[in-house]
Amino acid sequence: MNEKILNVKELEEEINSSLDSRTVAEIRFRGVTPWWGGDANDEDEIAGRLRWFLRTVYNRFCAKDLSSYMESENFVSQFLGSESSASMYSFSVSNVQFDETNSRSLYRNLERFNFLSLDKKKGITPPIDIKSFDLIILKNMDDEKYDTIIVGGLLITLAYLGIGRVANRGFGRFIPVQCPVIAKEVCENVIKGNVVNAFNSYYNIFKSILKCNGNNDWKLSKVPLAPQLQGEEADTITEIKCEDKKVISLLNAIDRAFLKNTIKVNYYRRIFKQPG
């Protein structure tokens, strides 16, 4: 019986060649704000946050029916999959570098951590710094139509939406260390800290690929819309310059901005102990 001897080197080259042909982009990210909770290697969380963001962009510029997520979900499911179809794209996180120094000291002083720690039963652990990680975006089809939408959307998602626990309070933000060829303008604006320009670059890509140029009104929508870039509407991006650039100070400021008492005092001009 003749048996073919396995050539490990050839097999390795074949695997690497296959991966290279499927790789849309490989990006290293560095941490900007501490990450809190969940699994740092959880690609599903990253994909889930990306899906949510893409639906809001579609709802802003393309959707005709804003009574539910159905239309935007049908759009996203074409390339990110659904319960009945596989995703065209997959995401692989590797080389996660942690730095737990601040979690044992500085981040224990965060107001949000102290608040959540009041519930002793939950055993809350403080946020930690992720210094960097690598994200590889892979594709199982030859269709390149949505590549730029995916890569640009991930750059926006990780930099401005965040991942992990209480991401809406500023935790879990990451920016690219270097820019891929795809969505390079979006990436460069993210690195420079040009928030409005980053969103504008991405919106232009999105609208160009999908051939839609609407501007739906959030007041007429039952689903979230991606933010506007200019104007006086409440859903417009507003950049606020902060004197204090310490991460813990900024996170505490964001946390206080979400509190009901803050709204009562600053908007309704009430004493925070008054009902409202």
Side-chain angles (χ1 to χ4, degrees):
M1 183 176 183
N2 294 326
E3 293 185 2
K4 185 177 181 180
I5 298 175
L6 179 65
N7 188 315
V8 176
K9 186 176 181 180
E10 288 182 1
L11 179 61
E12 185 178 311
E13 290 176 351
E14 185 177 338
I15 293 173
N16 288 335
S17 176
S18 176
L19 284 175
D20 289 341
S21 66
R22 293 179 56 210
T23 300
V24 178
E26 183 173 357
I27 311 169
R28 167 158 286 194
F29 288 88
R30 68 175 180 86
V32 177
T33 63
W35 168 82
W36 198 358
D39 184 354
N41 294 287
D42 189 354
E43 293 90 352
D44 289 340
E45 181 179 355
I46 295 175
R49 296 288 283 178
L50 172 63
R51 178 185 291 270
W52 187 90
F53 174 62
L54 293 181
R55 290 188 305 189
T56 68
V57 181
Y58 184 89
N59 284 331
R60 168 64 73 183
F61 300 112
C62 306
K64 304 298 182 185
D65 181 6
L66 296 172
S67 64
S68 72
Y69 268 126
M70 184 174 293
E71 184 180 340
S72 59
E73 181 59 32
N74 287 339
F75 159 69
V76 174
S77 295
Q78 294 178 66
F79 50 91
L80 282 183
S82 64
E83 293 182 356
S84 59
S85 63
S87 174
M88 289 173 55
Y89 298 88
S90 59
F91 311 101
S92 175
V93 174
S94 61
N95 300 324
V96 182
Q97 303 294 317
F98 292 95
D99 181 358
E100 298 188 34
T101 305
N102 286 331
S103 67
R104 293 193 294 267
S105 55
L106 182 65
Y107 297 149
R108 289 186 177 275
N109 296 319
L110 280 164
E111 295 175 14
R112 176 61 20 183
F113 173 73
N114 288 326
F115 173 75
L116 294 176
S117 296
L118 294 175
D119 188 347
K120 303 297 183 182
K121 295 180 181 179
K122 292 185 177 181
I124 303 297
T125 57
I128 62 175
D129 284 325
I130 294 181
K131 293 192 291 186
S132 63
F133 66 85
D134 295 329
L135 176 63
I136 301 177
I137 305 165
L138 301 169
K139 184 175 60 175
N140 59 19
M141 294 185 181
D142 293 331
D143 189 352
E144 299 179 354
K145 179 178 179 179
Y146 300 110
D147 287 2
T148 313
I149 286 179
I150 290 291
V151 176
L154 278 170
L155 291 166
I156 296 287
T157 297
L158 288 168
Y160 303 123
L161 274 70
I163 57 173
R165 184 174 188 164
V166 290
N168 64 338
R169 279 175 157 83
F171 293 90
R173 299 301 196 274
F174 302 89
I175 64 172
V177 174
Q178 82 291 332
C179 291
V181 175
I182 299 178
K184 187 175 181 180
E185 185 178 347
V186 177
C187 180
E188 290 174 342
N189 280 311
V190 169
I191 291 177
K192 292 175 184 176
N194 295 332
V195 181
V196 172
N197 289 346
F199 273 86
N200 186 53
S201 298
Y202 184 71
Y203 288 170
N204 288 338
I205 290 169
F206 195 96
K207 291 185 290 185
S208 175
I209 291 173
L210 296 185
K211 304 293 189 289
C212 56
N213 196 31
N215 188 17
N216 288 319
D217 188 343
W218 69 274
K219 294 188 292 294
L220 304 178
S221 176
K222 291 186 177 180
V223 292
L225 310 182
Q228 297 196 91
L229 305 180
Q230 58 184 1
E232 301 297 326
E233 291 289 340
D235 62 341
T236 302
I237 292 177
T238 302
E239 295 186 66
I240 301 173
K241 303 299 181 182
C242 297
E243 297 287 336
D244 193 338
K245 298 186 183 299
K246 295 178 181 177
V247 171
I248 190 168
S249 299
L250 298 176
L251 289 173
N252 281 334
I254 293 171
D255 185 46
R256 287 192 292 270
F258 273 83
L259 300 178
K260 183 173 69 174
N261 287 340
T262 301
I263 298 174
K264 283 199 294 186
V265 172
N266 291 281
Y267 187 77
Y268 292 106
R269 307 301 178 188
R270 292 172 176 259
I271 300 174
F272 74 92
K273 290 185 178 181
Q274 290 180 317

